[in-house]
Structure formats: C-alpha cells, structure tokens
Amino acid sequence: MHAFEDQDSGQTLAQGIEEYFTANPGLAKDRNMTAEAKHFFRCHDAVHVVFGCGTTLNDEAVVKMASIFGTTAGLKVLKGYRLHESLDIYR
C-alpha cells in the first residue's frame, strides 16, 4: 500500500500526487496532450489521491463515481473519458 492510499495519510496533495506518479510511471502525466486532456487528467489524478485509490478497475470505478457525484462537474466528467488520450490509455 502506498502512503497516499492510507486513510490517515499525513501527506499533502502535492506529495500524494508525486507518489502516485512514481508508483504509476506509465500514466499520461508527461505525454503530449491537448489542453482539455491535461485538465481532465490533472483533476482525475487528484481524485485518485484524495480518495486513496490506485489504478485497479475497482479503484477506477470509485474515482469515476466520486468525480460524477462529488464534484460540481457532475455528468460532464464523462466527456473526459471520450477524449482520444483517454481511449489510448484504455487500449
């Protein structure tokens, strides 16, 4: 388990995100992306850290639900999953 996944983690958000990317080096952080995709993934990855989620299918479901029901974006969050950068990751 990573420190950002611990419910009682004392990390800052920045520290948690740094650890998240270190633990998942293949993520889209440094890829050439559109501005829309960069914004989507910055928010998406922050939700992973805030809710202590890894990248398993179950954790991705938690991130998606938390993003839809726990933010002001609501169902608009789903548009981010239609970006070609998102589709590339799922492939």
Side-chain angles (χ1 to χ4, degrees):
M1 174 187 276
H2 300 95
F4 74 87
E5 295 173 305
D6 184 352
Q7 179 176 347
D8 297 316
S9 176
Q11 292 179 312
T12 64
L13 180 57
Q15 290 168 330
I17 288 174
E18 182 178 340
E19 182 186 28
Y20 174 74
F21 282 121
T22 299
N24 300 286
L27 295 179
K29 178 184 177 191
D30 295 321
R31 293 185 185 164
N32 187 19
M33 294 186 284
T34 63
E36 184 180 18
K38 286 179 185 179
H39 176 74
F40 171 76
F41 281 109
R42 185 177 72 244
C43 296
H44 177 87
D45 295 338
V47 173
H48 272 275
V49 173
V50 169
F51 287 95
C53 294
T55 56
T56 65
L57 190 55
N58 287 341
D59 282 353
E60 289 292 344
V62 169
V63 169
K64 190 177 285 188
M65 298 301 284
S67 297
I68 291 169
F69 296 111
T71 70
T72 57
L75 290 174
K76 290 184 275 184
V77 167
L78 297 176
K79 290 180 182 178
Y81 293 99
R82 293 178 40 210
L83 298 169
H84 73 84
E85 292 91 345
S86 295
L87 297 175
D88 289 346
I89 289 171
Y90 289 117
R91 287 187 194 117

